[in-house]
Amino acid sequence: GAGVSQSPSNKVTEKGKDVELRCDPISGHTALYWYRQSLGQGLEFLIYFQGNSAPDKSGLPSDRFSAERTGGSVSTLTIQRTQQEDSAVYLCASSSRENTGELFFGEGSRLTVL
Amino acid sequence: RKEVEQDPGPFNVPEGATVAFNCTYSNSASQSFFWYRQDCRKEPKLLMSVYSSGNEDGRFTAQLNRASQYISLLIRDSKLSDSATYLCVVTVFDYKLSFGAGTTVTVRA
């Protein structure tokens, strides 16, 4: 498709389980971001990938969170041993190198940890 | 202190009214500024960039005040379709966008 694609759109899991969230960015976009949005809150930066450069992981809230981007395209965000406070919408976005201010977001993955 | 702060609103205005709201940012080294729009349970989308001299895009006007570290958005002749949450976005490094929590605008018929 032409836009950023995320899956699953909804995920309900039990506390302590691991989850994987996937993002397929717009073709040709070199930058990929993960943000988290809790109810009524702003977007919280998690991680940034740009081409083959080392990712900026400064926003990951704990070592239970990790992300990778394979082949400069698809990215996976993994949350291990989920906690209730991890419940949020996880948004992936991509942008071109030429226009870093315009992020194109996917529809998000809504995670609920019971 | 949060990097970007916004009045959450809601701003409840009738159709045709003008509504304006601000956003303040804490880092004086901030370089680029944007307004994004987010509809209920949807993803954010870029509304407009904010330039130092101020800029318009149709009914929307954005202003930047570097001295006081705030940006503003004004919506003229409000439409029902303008009902959304408006996110203020600031960058310090060219890629690191910081989002405010948003200002909710509801336009009523």
Side-chain angles (χ1 to χ4, degrees):
Chain A
V4 177
S5 177
Q6 290 189 245
S7 61
S9 54
N10 278 287
K11 176 71 176 179
V12 180
T13 190
E14 292 179 348
K15 178 181 173 182
K17 300 284 190 181
D18 297 352
V19 296
E20 283 191 354
L21 308 177
R22 176 190 165 102
C23 173
D24 198 345
I26 292 173
S27 178
H29 278 188
T30 56
L32 186 148
Y33 300 74
W34 284 98
Y35 283 88
R36 177 168 74 173
Q37 187 173 33
S38 302
L39 188 64
Q41 302 296 313
L43 275 69
E44 176 188 2
F45 169 80
L46 298 178
I47 189 168
Y48 164 80
F49 296 91
Q50 173 61 271
N52 295 320
S53 303
D56 178 350
K57 304 180 181 180
S58 60
L60 294 178
S62 77
D63 59 7
R64 296 186 295 104
F65 288 73
S66 63
E68 62 177 22
R69 188 180 186 190
T70 53
S73 182
V74 172
S75 177
T76 302
L77 177 69
T78 301
I79 309 172
Q80 296 179 309
R81 305 181 303 282
T82 52
Q83 304 294 311
Q84 288 184 334
E85 61 263 28
D86 299 335
S87 297
V89 177
Y90 289 80
L91 289 160
C92 176
S94 69
S95 71
S96 66
R97 184 182 290 275
E98 296 76 27
N99 191 2
T100 55
E102 183 166 15
L103 270 58
F104 292 85
F105 284 87
E107 293 185 346
S109 292
R110 182 175 299 275
L111 175 65
T112 303
V113 182
L114 301 176
Chain B
R1 184 182 173 188
K2 291 182 181 179
E3 292 182 20
V4 181
E5 298 208 51
Q6 295 185 247
D7 180 346
F11 288 80
N12 191 325
V13 300
E15 271 188 295
T18 295
V19 59
F21 40 89
N22 294 340
C23 150
T24 58
Y25 59 93
S26 60
N27 192 329
S28 60
S30 298
Q31 298 171 332
S32 302
F33 309 88
F34 309 90
W35 284 103
Y36 274 67
R37 170 191 171 129
Q38 185 171 26
D39 293 319
C40 188
R41 298 178 76 87
K42 295 287 191 179
E43 72 276 18
K45 294 183 180 179
L46 178 67
L47 177 67
M48 59 193 300
S49 303
V50 185
Y51 303 121
S52 296
S53 55
N55 50 297
E56 282 189 13
D57 184 358
R59 297 180 293 106
F60 296 82
T61 301
Q63 298 278 354
L64 167 63
N65 185 317
R66 283 192 183 271
S68 300
Q69 295 184 207
Y70 74 86
I71 67 173
S72 64
L73 182 67
L74 182 146
I75 308 172
R76 287 187 304 277
D77 188 23
S78 299
K79 310 292 184 189
L80 293 175
S81 58
D82 295 334
S83 297
T85 297
Y86 292 86
L87 306 176
C88 173
V89 182
V90 172
T91 67
V92 177
F93 307 116
D94 63 354
Y95 67 84
K96 202 155 188 182
L97 282 71
S98 295
F99 285 75
T103 296
T104 298
V105 173
T106 302
V107 182
R108 63 182 188 276

